Amino acid sequence: GATADGQLLGLEANGKLEVTNAFPTAENKADFDEFIKEMMQLLDKVNVDNNTVGWYRSAFIGEWITSNTIRVQYEFQNAIPESVVLVYDPHTTTKGNLGLKAYRLSSHFMAFYKKKDWSHINFTRHKIDSGDIFEEIPMKVHNSHLIHAFLYELQEQDGFSCEFDRLDLGGDAPFEANLKIMSDSIDELIQDQGKFKSSQKGVKRVRDQIQHQLSNVQQQMANIQQQKAKVEEQLKKVREQKREYEDQTSANNEKSYKDILPTEEKLNKSKEEMEGKEEWLKKSKEELLKKPLPYLPRLDAYLTSHKIGHYSAKVKTMIGENMAKMFEIDALNSEL
C-alpha cells in the first residue's frame, strides 16, 4: 500500500536529538521545495520549532529497508549529521506493540555510499557488512501534559480496563506475514547469488582481455626502447664525428661534415617519432589500468541480507513475547 512520509522538526541539545513536531510532505512532489519553504515560514510565524532533524515514513510490518530509504536518509544525514529516520509500523501498533523505531546510517556506510560504487570490492574495502548499514538509535517517547491528563481520565472510567488484552497472542497472521517476507527475501538473495556468479565470469573475461592488451602494450614499449637505444647510440657516433670534422678545416672534411648533417637530422626525427609512440603507449597503458570491470552492483543484495537479519530478529522477539504470555496465562489458569 501507499506509505506516509514527512519531515521531523526539533533541535539537538546536550548530545540528544529532540523531535518536537512533524508535518507530511506535499502530495505533488514537483512542488516539494516550495511546500517545505512555505511550511517553515508558517511554523516560524507561530513560534514552533522549525529546525529539520530528519524525516519519518510508515512501513507495513517493517517493510522499509529499501535503496530509496537509504538515498533519502543519506541526503538528510549528509546535510544534517544528527538527523534520523523514524519508521512507524501501524500494523504492529494495532496489535498492542508501539511500532516506532529511529535509525541512522552508520559512519562507515556514509563514507562508502559517497563513492557511489556498489561493487563487492568497495564493500570489502570499507569493511561493510550487511548488518552495518543502519544503526538503531535508542529513543524515549514523551507525551505532553494534556495527553497524560487524558489517559488518567480514561483510566478512571468503568469498563475501560484492558489489563488482560496484554496477554492476547495476536493470532498467527503477523507471524506468518513476517515469515513470508523473510522467505521471499531468502529466495531473492539466492537468485542474486546466481546472478553474481554469472557476472564474475564476465568480469574474468574482461580482466583477461585487459591483461592481454597490457602484455601487447608492454611488448611494444620494450621494442621501442630497444630501437630508441640503437638510435641514440648511432646519434652519439654521428655527433662525435661531427665534432671531429668541426676541429678540422680541410675541404674534404667540410664535404664530409655536410654529408653527416642529413644523417643526424634523420636520426633525430626517428627518435622523436619513437618518443611520440612511446608516450601514446604509456597513455594506452594508463587507460587500460583505469578501465572499470563490469562488477555487478551488490547494494540490493546487502539490503536483502540486512532485511533477512531484521526479520529474523523480529520473529525471534515475537516468539519470545508469545512464549512469555503463554506461561503467564498458564500461571493464571492454575490460580483459578
Side-chain angles (χ1 to χ4, degrees):
T3 61
D5 58 80
Q7 290 216 24
L8 300 174
L9 305 175
L11 52 91
E12 193 271 336
N14 301 323
K16 295 181 180 180
L17 187 67
E18 296 185 11
V19 178
T20 57
N21 207 339
F23 63 86
T25 54
E27 294 183 2
N28 186 359
K29 300 298 182 182
D31 299 333
F32 179 77
D33 292 337
E34 187 64 27
F35 173 78
I36 296 295
K37 183 179 178 181
E38 290 181 4
M39 282 295 298
M40 292 300 185
Q41 291 174 349
L42 292 172
L43 289 170
D44 186 56
K45 287 181 179 179
V46 295
N47 199 27
V48 174
D49 290 335
N50 59 353
N51 297 315
T52 301
V53 293
W55 64 297
Y56 69 87
R57 62 156 295 169
S58 62
F60 176 71
I61 315 183
E63 186 69 19
W64 59 273
I65 304 171
T66 64
S67 57
N68 184 62
T69 302
I70 288 179
R71 179 186 60 80
V72 176
Q73 178 58 23
Y74 175 80
E75 291 174 357
F76 270 99
Q77 206 165 319
N78 192 43
I80 311 168
E82 65 274 8
S83 63
V84 297
V85 53
L86 276 182
V87 180
Y88 174 67
D89 186 349
H91 185 273
T92 302
T93 303
T94 57
K95 298 301 179 181
N97 294 319
L98 179 60
L100 189 64
K101 300 283 186 181
Y103 296 96
R104 186 180 290 149
L105 293 174
S106 66
S107 57
H108 292 296
F109 189 81
M110 286 290 292
F112 160 82
Y113 196 87
K114 186 178 181 180
K115 300 292 183 181
K116 304 296 181 184
D117 179 6
W118 319 132
S119 67
H120 67 284
I121 301 295
N122 201 31
F123 271 99
T124 304
R125 185 180 297 120
H126 285 82
K127 300 180 180 179
I128 300 293
D129 192 9
S130 60
D132 298 329
I133 299 176
F134 284 100
E135 55 184 10
E136 185 176 348
I137 308 300
M139 71 173 190
K140 291 183 179 180
V141 179
H142 297 276
N143 291 324
S144 67
H145 296 300
L146 288 175
I147 295 295
H148 276 297
F150 176 68
L151 291 175
Y152 280 124
E153 285 186 7
L154 288 179
Q155 190 175 3
E156 296 298 324
Q157 294 181 10
D158 295 334
F160 194 72
S161 175
C162 57
E163 293 296 324
F164 287 100
D165 289 348
R166 300 176 186 176
L167 300 179
D168 182 18
L169 298 179
D172 296 331
F175 186 72
E176 290 175 356
N178 278 277
L179 282 179
K180 186 180 184 308
I181 295 174
M182 187 169 66
S183 177
D184 292 342
S185 299
I186 292 172
D187 291 339
E188 184 181 341
L189 186 62
I190 291 173
Q191 292 177 5
D192 190 270
Q193 290 293 336
K195 293 178 182 178
F196 178 69
K197 289 181 180 179
S198 299
S199 72
Q200 286 300 95
K201 295 178 181 178
V203 170
K204 184 179 183 302
R205 184 165 55 252
V206 173
R207 186 186 286 117
D208 291 341
Q209 291 174 355
I210 292 175
Q211 284 297 122
H212 180 69
Q213 293 172 354
L214 277 173
S215 298
N216 290 337
V217 168
Q218 290 172 346
Q219 184 62 44
Q220 292 181 49
M221 289 180 68
N223 294 337
I224 288 175
Q225 288 174 356
Q226 290 177 359
Q227 295 173 9
K228 188 177 172 183
K230 291 180 181 178
V231 168
E232 288 177 346
E233 184 66 27
Q234 292 175 357
L235 270 172
K236 183 179 179 182
K237 292 180 180 179
V238 168
R239 286 167 182 165
E240 288 176 354
Q241 291 178 359
K242 184 179 175 182
R243 282 195 297 270
E244 290 177 1
Y245 292 141
E246 285 175 348
D247 294 337
Q248 300 174 3
T249 57
S250 65
N252 290 333
N253 286 342
E254 185 177 350
K255 182 177 180 302
S256 299
Y257 178 80
K258 291 180 179 180
D259 291 340
I260 288 175
L261 293 178
T263 304
E264 184 182 20
E265 185 179 346
K266 184 179 179 181
L267 289 171
N268 281 326
K269 186 176 180 180
S270 178
K271 182 181 177 182
E272 289 176 1
E273 290 176 354
M274 290 180 185
E275 288 175 345
K277 190 173 183 180
E278 187 178 25
E279 188 65 28
W280 178 79
L281 287 171
K282 286 180 180 179
K283 290 181 180 178
S284 299
K285 182 179 178 181
E286 290 176 0
E287 290 176 359
L288 286 171
L289 291 173
K290 292 179 181 178
K291 187 175 181 180
L293 294 172
Y295 289 119
L296 184 71
R298 302 295 292 155
L299 180 59
D300 288 341
Y302 274 75
L303 283 176
T304 303
S305 181
H306 184 77
K307 193 184 298 183
I308 292 171
H310 172 77
Y311 284 107
S312 297
K314 198 166 185 179
V315 168
K316 181 180 178 181
T317 301
M318 291 175 66
I319 292 173
E321 290 175 350
N322 285 341
M323 288 291 290
K325 290 177 182 179
M326 290 175 66
F327 280 115
E328 289 173 0
I329 293 173
D330 186 59
L332 287 172
N333 288 333
S334 64
E335 293 291 332
L336 298 175

